[in-house]
Amino acid sequence: MLAWDGPQAPGDWAAVQRRFRDGHVETWWAAEASLGFWGPDGTTRLVIATLDPATLPDKATWYLATNLPRPGGPRVAESPHPPADLAELVRLYGLRHWVEQGYKQVKDELGWAG
């Protein structure tokens, strides 16, 4: 269980600023998680990002798995990928919706939509 006692005592969570296309900014919270061999310094790194660590709302919580190493972690030297902090992982995952939307539009244009 990840520690959270509110924004003044975030425990395991780090504040992450998400900037949206329309210019507004939201404070999200992100934390490294562990599950079996997966964790901050494993081959697969687990991250949880959410608007509210206390309740983990379904529509505003992401459970991410990545192969990008943690900055300062032991995998940085051996990884072919640059390290990414929690803010960068949240930023990159936030782009996913735009990528999926673009992919859907291209499939529609090519007649590949099913």
Side-chain angles (χ1 to χ4, degrees):
M1 185 92 183
L2 296 170
W4 171 259
D5 289 320
Q8 302 307 319
D12 297 316
W13 297 87
V16 174
Q17 297 300 311
R18 288 197 61 212
R19 298 186 194 291
F20 292 83
R21 190 171 146 180
D22 65 4
H24 85 278
V25 176
E26 291 179 356
T27 298
W28 277 51
W29 297 88
E32 302 278 357
S34 297
L35 178 65
F37 293 107
W38 295 2
D41 294 319
T43 304
T44 302
R45 183 174 162 204
L46 300 176
V47 172
I48 301 171
T50 185
L51 265 174
D52 183 2
T55 63
L56 300 174
D58 287 343
K59 293 186 179 186
T61 300
W62 301 336
Y63 300 92
L64 315 175
T66 183
N67 62 352
L68 298 176
R70 179 179 61 84
R75 290 190 47 247
V76 171
E78 69 189 42
S79 176
H81 309 294
D85 63 14
L86 292 172
E88 179 65 359
L89 292 175
V90 171
R91 185 191 74 78
L92 289 170
Y93 193 75
L95 298 173
R96 181 184 130 242
H97 301 289
W98 293 105
V99 171
E100 289 178 359
Q101 180 63 28
Y103 180 69
K104 181 185 179 321
Q105 290 174 352
V106 167
K107 281 178 49 179
D108 289 345
E109 287 295 318
L110 294 172
W112 295 353

